[in-house]
Amino acid sequence: MIPKKIKTIPYTATRNACKMCTPLGAALVFHGIEGTIPLLHGSQGCSTYMRRYLISHFREPVDIASSNFSEDTAIFGGGDNLRLAIENVTRQYFPAMIGIATTCLSETIGDDVPMILNGMDNAVDDTILVHVSTPSYTGTHVDGFHGAVHAVVERCNPLTGKTKDDLKTRKKINIFPGMLSNEDIRHIKEIFTDLNTEFTILPDYSERLEGPSWEDYQAIQKGGTPVREIKTMNLATASMELGSILAGTVNQGGESAGSLLKERFDIPLVSLGFPIGVKATDLFFSHLEQLTATAMPEKYKCQRGRLIDAYVDGNKYVSKRRAVVYGEEDFVVAMAGFLAEVGIIPVLCASGGKSGLLEKALEETLAPNILKQVTVHQGMDFTRMEQAARDLNPDFVIGNSKGYTMSRHLNVPLVRVGFPIHDRIGGQRILHIGYKGAQELFDTIVNTLLQRRQDTSKTGYAYM
Amino acid sequence: MEPISVLEDRKNQIYRKGQDSFDISCEKKSLAGAVSQRACVFCGSRVVLYPIADALHLIHGPIGCASYTWDIRGALSSGPELHRMSFSTDLSETDIVFGGEKKLEQALVELIAEYEPKAAFVYCTCIVGIIGDDVEAVCKKVAAKTHIPVLPVHSEGFKGTKKDGYKAACDALFKLIDQNRKPEKQIPLSINILGEFNIGGETWIIKEYYRRMGIEVVAVMTGDGRVEEVQSAHRACLNVVQCSGSLTYLAKDMEKAYGIPFIRVSYFGIEDTSDALYDVAAFFEDTPEIMERTKTLVQEEVKTILPELSALRKDLTGKRAAIYVGGAFKAFSLIKALKHLGMAEVLVGSQTGNKDDYALLREMCDPGTVILDDANPLELAKYVMEKDAHLFIGGVKERPIAYKLGIGFCDHNHERKIPLVGFEGMVNFAREVHETVTSPIWDLVPRKSFNRAISKKG
Ligand code: SF4
Ligand code: SF4
C-alpha cells in the first residue's frame, strides 16, 4: 500500500524547519550521562544557540562548551583550540566525561578529531573523552542523538574488555530509549524497577534536566547514567532499543548502540517502536516479560484496564477525527499508531527527518484501511506542511510547539507533545509512553476537542 | 561543596570595585571551553536586521543557524510579518562539496517571486565562509533579475563577535540606503531612530513621544521597519542612536556620507528617557516650541507613573540586583533604573562591553560590585551567590542560573514580549521586578540561608 503523495510545488529553501541540527541531539545525550559536559568543536554561536534552545524547553541550566573557532582556526585547523577547550572544561567542571561533538565547521575543514584527542587522555586525568561526528548537513538532531549514544557505548565498551567468564555474570538489561521526555524516562525506570530487573538506561537526562531547586551551586547537575554502568553494558543479557526508524536503520546495515553490543559481545538486541498507545505498550511489555521472565505487574494491568475503559468513554469524541502529526520520525510513527488505535485518522504524517524509512514504518504500523487515508511526507518543513494540511481538513494538529504558527493559520487546536515545547511550561514532564502516557494523551486530545466545540458553539453548553 | 574556580585566563575579565586596581580586560575572543554566554557574528546581524518586516531574510548555511532563530524575538510589526519566517538554504553534503551558489540563487529567486519582499538579506553563516561561495555575485545577479535590493550580510559566525555582526548589518543597511538614494530634500525637524527594535511595541511608544514633541520620524532602524522607510533615512536631520552601539557604525557612516550628525541615547528608565527626549529637543533649538512641548510631555508622563513607582519601591528598597546583558550601554540604564526603585547593583556584566564602557561602569557602580566581561554560567553563579542577590536581570540563558539558586529574574533581552522603554516601560519594568522579587515562593526554596522573601526580610 503506497500512501498518498502530496502535490505541492517543490521549492529550494527550507521554510520554517521541522528539525534541528545534529549536534543538538548529541548535546542532549551528553546531558544524560553522569558528570558529562558536552563540548562542540566549532564556533561559539552554535553552542550558545543550542543552549538557549534546550534551556527554553527544559528550563534548567544547560552548559555546552565550545572550542570557539576564530578565523585562524578555520584556516589552520582547530586542534589547539580543541585541546585548550578540553583543558578549560576539565579545570572548571572536573567532569567524568567530555562529549565532543563536531559541527559543520570543524567537519568541513576536515579536523581529524580522533587524532587530536589521541594522547590527550593523560592530560586530563581520568576524564573520558568521547567523540561523535555530527556534521549537520548530513542529518538532523535525531542522528546526532543516536550517534552520541553509539559513540559513548563504543568508547566505554572496547572489544578487548570481552572475556568468556563475563557471560556468566550477565544479568542486567540495557535500554536505549531514544529521544523521549524526562517523564518518559522516569516511567521506563519505574517499569524496570517494578519488574525487579537490573537495567542501564542510556541516556537518562530525567534528573539533570529536571532537578530540584538547589541548596548550593552544582557545576554539573546531579543525575545521568553513571559511566561505570555504561562500562558494564557489555555484561547485559539483552539490549532493548526504542524507535522504529532506528530499528529500520539497523536492519539496513546501519549501526546503533544496540547493534554494536550485539556484534561485539553477542548481546541479543530487541528493537521496537516507542511504546505509545495500548498496542505498542502491549508489545513493549511482552518483550519485557520474555526478557525478564516476569509477568506484567498488577499495577500495569490496572492502568491498561482503565485506559481501555477511557477509550470507550471517549470513543465518540475522537472517532473519525483528523489529525496532522509531525516531529521526529520515530515519534511520528508511534503517535500515528496511537491515534489510529483510538479512531483518529492521522491524515498527514510529516517529519523534517529524511531517513527514507518513514513510509515503510507507517505501513508496518497502520492498518491498510487507515493507511490509504494517510499522507506521508519526510524532509518536510512547516510551510509545506501547512499547505498540505489545508487540503486535508484536520481537526487538530499534534506535535511540538513549533507547529503553533501552522495551527494558528489553520485555525485548529495544537496538542503539544514531543520536543521542543517553548510556549508552555512543563514540556519536559509530558508523559507519552506506557498505558499511563496514552491515558494522558487521550484525555488531553479529547478535552482539546471538547473545548474547541464548546468555545466555537453559539450556545456554549456547560454540560458536554 | 567545592568553591567554584575561575579560570586563570579569565581572571583579568573580572573586577571588584574597591578591591582591584587593574583595568578590566575586554573585547577579547571568548576563551575556548569557557562556556561563554555570547552568541556569534550572525546573531548580531540577525538582531539588527530582523525587525525589517517586509524584507526577506534568507540564512545561507546548514539548518541549525536558521532553526534556532526562528521567530524567537519579540520584535513586532504593524503590517507585514515576513520577518517571522525562517528561511534557510539548508545546505546538504553535496552543497558543501560542490558549493551552495546555485542553491542560493534558486532559493532567492523562488522566495522573492512567492513572497514579494521589498528587499532581501542573505546572511552568510560559518560554513559559507569556508566553502567560499561568492555570495556577493549571487546577490548582484538576483537583484538584477528581480529588481529589488539583494544584500549580502557577511556574518560568518567565527569571524569575530556579535559586535562584528552589528557592523555587518550596518554595512548592509548603509548599502540599502545608499544604493537607491535619490537626491531628495531633507525633511525639516526630522530624525531617524536607530538601535530600536520594537520589542513588545517599544518603537511605537517612542515614536509617539516624538510625535507629541512635533518631530517627524523618518525611519526606525529597525523596529517595525520597512525597506522603503530605511531607504529614505538619508533625508533626516539627526540620527538618534539607542542601544550599545549596535547601530553606531551606521550612524557614523551616515555622518560621513550625508553629514547627518548623531547622538547616543537610551530609553530605559525615567532619567535616560527624559535625557533622550531633551537632547533631541535641544538639537532643534531653532524651534523652541519643541523644547516646551518636551518639558510638558516629560512632566505629564512622570506625574502619571510616579505614584505607582513609589508604591512598588517600598517593597524593593535595599534589594540587591545582578545584571548581565549583551551590551554595556543597557547596563548603565538599568543601574539608574534600579536606583530609582531603591535597589542596588551587586554584579554587572556584559558580553561585549569595551574599555570605555567598563571605565564608566566602574564609576557608576557601588563599591564592592563585581564587574564581569564575557562571563560564563559558573562565574555568574559564583558571584550572585557571594553577593546574595535578590534579582537577576538577563536573558534566557541566565534565567536558570537565577531560578536554580532561588533568585528572582527579569528578562531584559530581545526575546521578551513586554515593552520596557520610556515612562510606561519603566512601570512595566518595576512591576516585573516587583512581581518576581516579592513572590512568596522564595520562602519555599531550599537555600534558606539566603532567604529572598520580602515577607521575612525587610
Ligand atoms: S553550523 Fe551546523 S552545527 Fe552549527 S548551528 Fe549551524 S547547523 Fe548547527
Ligand atoms: S554556524 Fe556560525 S553562524 Fe551559525 S550559529 Fe554557528 S557560529 Fe553562528
Side-chain angles (χ1 to χ4, degrees):
Chain A
M1 176 72 50
I2 306 293
K4 284 190 293 182
K5 285 279 179 219
I6 292 179
K7 334 166 265 309
T8 47
I9 314 152
Y11 54 71
T12 310
T14 296
R15 309 173 180 183
N16 298 346
C18 179
K19 59 178 176 180
M20 289 137 257
C21 72
T22 328
L24 180 131
L28 182 57
V29 168
F30 293 130
H31 270 84
I33 300 167
E34 193 176 64
T36 299
I37 292 286
L39 164 59
L40 301 194
H41 187 35
S43 306
Q44 180 65 50
C46 312
S47 297
T48 304
Y49 274 135
M50 285 176 224
R51 286 178 61 204
R52 210 217 60 223
Y53 208 83
L54 289 162
I55 288 172
S56 303
H57 174 84
F58 288 101
R59 294 167 191 270
E60 291 285 316
V62 175
D63 287 9
I64 303 174
S66 165
S67 62
N68 209 326
F69 269 50
S70 64
E71 297 207 64
D72 289 354
T73 330
I75 298 164
F76 301 114
D80 289 346
N81 272 51
L82 183 55
R83 271 180 229 116
L84 180 63
I86 290 170
E87 279 165 21
N88 280 336
V89 168
T90 314
R91 267 184 227 139
Q92 276 194 299
Y93 290 92
F94 311 103
M97 179 187 285
I98 301 178
I100 298 142
T102 50
T103 62
C104 305
L105 194 54
S106 47
E107 287 285 339
T108 307
I109 65 167
D111 267 357
D112 187 346
V113 174
M115 207 188 78
I116 298 168
L117 297 185
N118 230 333
M120 272 223 71
D121 277 338
N122 299 335
V124 289
D125 297 329
D126 309 325
T127 305
I128 299 172
L129 305 177
V130 175
H131 159 238
V132 53
S133 168
T134 44
S136 186
Y137 43 78
T138 58
T140 70
H141 57 291
V142 177
D143 301 286
F145 189 99
H146 295 316
V149 174
H150 177 265
V152 169
V153 170
E154 182 172 39
R155 177 72 175 76
C156 294
N157 295 274
L159 200 49
T160 47
K162 184 183 172 186
T163 63
K164 279 249 154 64
D165 294 343
D166 288 343
L167 286 171
K168 283 181 228 143
T169 55
R170 286 181 178 189
K171 52 183 174 181
K172 68 171 174 181
I173 291 176
N174 300 322
I175 163 101
F176 301 105
M179 201 167 150
L180 291 173
S181 78
N182 289 339
E183 197 64 31
D184 291 331
I185 294 176
R186 284 191 284 267
H187 194 50
I188 292 177
K189 294 204 287 191
E190 184 190 344
I191 292 171
F192 274 90
T193 308
D194 288 342
L195 285 168
N196 273 321
T197 301
E198 271 187 53
F199 65 99
T200 298
I201 183 165
L202 178 72
D204 175 9
Y205 36 79
S206 64
E207 216 183 322
R208 180 159 168 194
L209 293 180
E210 203 178 341
S213 185
W214 291 346
E215 279 194 56
D216 204 343
Y217 192 73
Q218 300 175 14
I220 303 180
Q221 302 101 288
K222 291 193 191 85
T225 316
V227 173
R228 71 182 132 66
E229 271 192 35
I230 303 174
K231 285 183 171 166
T232 58
M233 282 188 130
N234 59 65
L235 298 178
T237 43
S239 303
M240 184 184 251
E241 218 158 45
L242 303 182
S244 38
I245 302 293
L246 181 64
T249 322
V250 172
N251 273 341
Q252 287 192 341
E255 205 171 57
S256 67
S259 76
L260 176 116
L261 288 170
K262 186 175 165 191
E263 262 162 48
R264 280 193 183 171
F265 306 101
D266 297 328
I267 298 175
L269 171 64
V270 179
S271 301
L272 65 157
F274 288 161
I276 301 182
V278 170
K279 288 179 191 158
T281 307
D282 284 350
L283 182 67
F284 175 66
F285 269 106
S286 78
H287 280 300
L288 283 183
E289 283 180 340
Q290 271 176 22
L291 291 176
T292 62
T294 316
M296 188 200 303
E298 198 54 36
K299 175 173 151 189
Y300 298 97
K301 286 187 190 144
C302 290
Q303 286 176 4
R304 186 178 188 279
R306 279 195 299 266
L307 172 61
I308 291 172
D309 191 58
Y311 279 6
V312 173
D313 293 340
N315 80 89
K316 278 165 58 184
Y317 301 120
V318 292
S319 182
K320 303 249 174 358
R321 294 294 170 275
R322 302 162 70 81
V324 171
V325 51
Y326 59 89
E328 291 97 21
E329 291 170 283
D330 275 328
F331 192 80
V332 167
V333 174
M335 196 52 82
F338 158 72
L339 293 172
E341 133 184 322
V342 299
I344 299 172
I345 303 150
V347 286
L348 175 59
C349 295
S351 175
K354 238 189 211 175
S355 65
L357 300 165
L358 183 60
E359 267 186 38
K360 188 154 171 281
L362 282 163
E363 269 174 51
E364 285 163 9
T365 309
L366 302 174
N369 65 321
I370 303 290
L371 194 67
K372 67 176 187 243
Q373 304 176 67
V374 175
T375 304
V376 184
H377 214 297
Q378 65 161 7
M380 197 179 222
D381 61 29
F382 278 109
T383 303
R384 206 185 309 235
M385 211 186 294
E386 190 180 314
Q387 286 167 5
R390 229 170 250 290
D391 299 335
L392 295 168
N393 284 322
D395 295 291
F396 66 102
V397 301
I398 180 164
N400 57 53
S401 282
K402 296 295 155 187
Y404 175 69
T405 317
M406 169 175 70
S407 87
R408 197 179 158 100
H409 291 166
L410 296 171
N411 191 25
V412 295
L414 161 64
V415 175
R416 289 171 180 79
V417 291
F419 171 90
I421 309 289
H422 282 168
D423 60 347
R424 286 291 184 275
I425 202 166
Q428 71 278 50
R429 285 185 287 279
I430 296 175
L431 180 64
H432 309 88
I433 64 151
Y435 304 119
K436 242 174 110 188
Q439 182 74 70
E440 288 184 18
L441 290 175
F442 185 74
D443 291 350
T444 309
I445 291 171
V446 170
N447 288 335
T448 305
L449 292 170
L450 282 176
Q451 181 175 351
R452 185 64 167 195
R453 258 167 71 183
Q454 199 167 26
D455 289 351
T456 53
S457 96
K458 278 203 194 90
T459 325
Y461 295 106
Y463 179 88
M464 306 272 292
Chain B
M1 169 79 196
E2 297 217 6
I4 298 172
S5 59
V6 170
L7 292 172
E8 210 45 50
D9 291 340
R10 289 259 331 128
K11 286 194 172 145
N12 56 2
Q13 282 167 279
I14 301 167
Y15 174 94
R16 287 156 183 273
K17 177 161 175 179
Q19 244 176 59
D20 297 329
S21 54
F22 60 86
D23 273 341
I24 191 164
S25 173
C26 56
E27 295 195 278
K28 297 207 301 191
K29 220 177 78 59
S30 301
L31 185 63
V35 193
S36 163
Q37 305 288 85
R38 281 181 182 168
C40 60
V41 182
F42 162 67
C43 176
S45 298
R46 187 99 171 99
V47 173
V48 169
L49 298 174
Y50 173 75
I52 303 182
D54 58 353
L56 177 84
H57 301 268
L58 174 59
I59 298 165
H60 187 31
I63 198 62
C65 325
S67 236
Y68 304 132
T69 52
W70 173 25
D71 201 22
I72 56 169
R73 299 192 167 262
L76 301 182
S77 163
S78 54
E81 291 200 320
L82 191 52
H83 67 303
R84 294 182 57 196
M85 295 280 291
S86 162
F87 298 116
S88 166
T89 47
D90 196 354
L91 295 180
S92 64
E93 196 155 19
T94 32
D95 304 319
I96 302 295
V97 178
F98 299 107
E101 289 174 20
K102 270 218 185 85
K103 194 170 191 183
L104 173 62
E105 183 182 335
Q106 201 177 335
L108 273 172
V109 171
E110 287 169 7
L111 288 168
I112 292 169
E114 187 166 339
Y115 293 93
E116 300 177 347
K118 296 285 186 306
F121 294 104
V122 178
Y123 301 80
C124 306
T125 62
C126 288
I127 280 300
V128 177
I130 300 293
I131 60 177
D133 279 356
D134 190 347
V135 176
E136 201 92 42
V138 175
C139 287
K140 269 206 190 108
K141 199 166 153 196
V142 176
K145 237 193 246 178
T146 57
H147 311 293
I148 62 163
V150 181
L151 301 156
V153 185
H154 295 288
S155 55
E156 291 90 343
F158 62 89
K159 291 189 175 169
T161 65
K162 200 166 164 183
K163 267 191 182 169
D164 299 282
Y166 297 150
K167 173 113 184 30
C170 286
D171 289 347
L173 282 173
F174 184 71
K175 258 194 216 152
L176 186 62
I177 299 167
D178 208 55
Q179 266 179 9
N180 299 63
R181 188 167 51 95
K182 294 176 201 90
E184 289 154 311
K185 276 221 296 259
Q186 204 179 48
I187 300 167
L189 302 181
S190 69
I191 59 167
N192 294 319
I193 300 176
L194 271 64
E196 166 42 61
F197 306 113
N198 204 26
I199 310 298
E202 293 182 335
T203 300
W204 300 326
I205 294 176
I206 295 166
K207 265 179 119 170
E208 177 61 15
Y209 294 152
Y210 286 122
R211 193 195 58 77
R212 283 163 66 188
M213 287 159 61
I215 286 172
E216 181 168 348
V217 175
V218 181
V220 183
M221 284 180 273
T222 52
D224 194 15
R226 300 290 181 279
V227 171
E228 207 172 46
E229 274 174 28
V230 173
Q231 285 174 325
S232 358
H234 62 282
R235 300 181 61 202
C237 308
L238 175 70
N239 276 331
V240 184
V241 190
Q242 204 210 193
C243 190
S244 287
S246 59
L247 272 100
T248 313
Y249 302 104
L250 178 67
K252 285 184 178 157
D253 283 344
M254 289 177 72
E255 185 171 44
K256 236 207 240 136
Y258 319 124
I260 303 177
F262 71 91
I263 55 172
R264 302 229 306 182
V265 302
S266 162
Y267 302 107
F268 287 114
I270 296 181
E271 280 89 352
D272 284 357
T273 305
S274 315
D275 285 350
L277 303 183
Y278 284 139
D279 286 352
V280 174
F283 178 82
F284 297 104
E285 53 185 357
D286 298 338
T287 318
E289 307 91 274
I290 291 187
M291 187 54 97
E292 286 310 307
R293 286 195 285 260
T294 309
K295 279 185 185 151
T296 322
L297 184 155
V298 171
Q299 271 163 17
E300 274 174 23
E301 291 290 329
V302 173
K303 215 171 101 195
T304 319
I305 62 168
L306 270 187
E308 185 170 355
L309 279 188
S310 356
L312 295 171
R313 185 189 157 104
K314 273 196 206 103
D315 296 327
L316 297 173
T317 302
K319 296 287 173 285
R320 292 174 293 275
I323 302 170
Y324 191 75
V325 286
F329 216 65
K330 202 190 265 169
F332 304 148
S333 295
L334 284 169
I335 292 171
K336 287 187 237 169
L338 286 169
K339 290 235 154 82
H340 219 103
L341 298 176
M343 296 179 71
E345 70 285 353
V346 290
L347 178 155
V348 184
S350 85
Q351 292 171 15
T352 56
N354 63 26
K355 277 240 150 29
D356 296 344
D357 294 335
Y358 287 114
L360 185 57
L361 270 184
R362 211 157 53 184
E363 248 170 61
M364 283 177 79
C365 288
D366 297 330
T369 304
V370 179
I371 300 175
L372 292 154
D373 175 62
D374 187 17
N376 60 39
L378 289 173
E379 292 162 5
L380 290 171
K382 178 183 168 83
Y383 295 108
V384 285
M385 278 164 49
E386 198 180 297
K387 291 288 168 186
D388 202 6
H390 301 83
L391 172 73
F392 201 130
I393 303 177
V396 174
K397 292 186 299 294
E398 287 79 34
R399 187 179 61 203
I401 302 171
Y403 281 175
K404 275 292 172 195
L405 292 167
I407 298 172
F409 177 77
C410 169
D411 190 349
H412 212 287
N413 212 333
H414 285 246
E415 288 158 26
R416 74 193 140 83
K417 308 289 181 272
I418 306 166
L420 298 180
V421 298
F423 303 101
E424 56 180 279
M426 178 66 196
V427 180
N428 290 341
F429 174 68
R431 280 184 198 150
E432 210 187 321
V433 169
H434 192 268
E435 275 161 13
T436 190
V437 171
T438 63
S439 168
I441 55 145
W442 307 127
D443 281 342
L444 303 171
V445 301
R447 284 189 72 214
K448 284 288 185 213
S449 61
F450 182 88
N451 192 353
R452 319 284 91 242
I454 294 260
S455 54
K456 296 240 173 97
K457 275 191 197 172

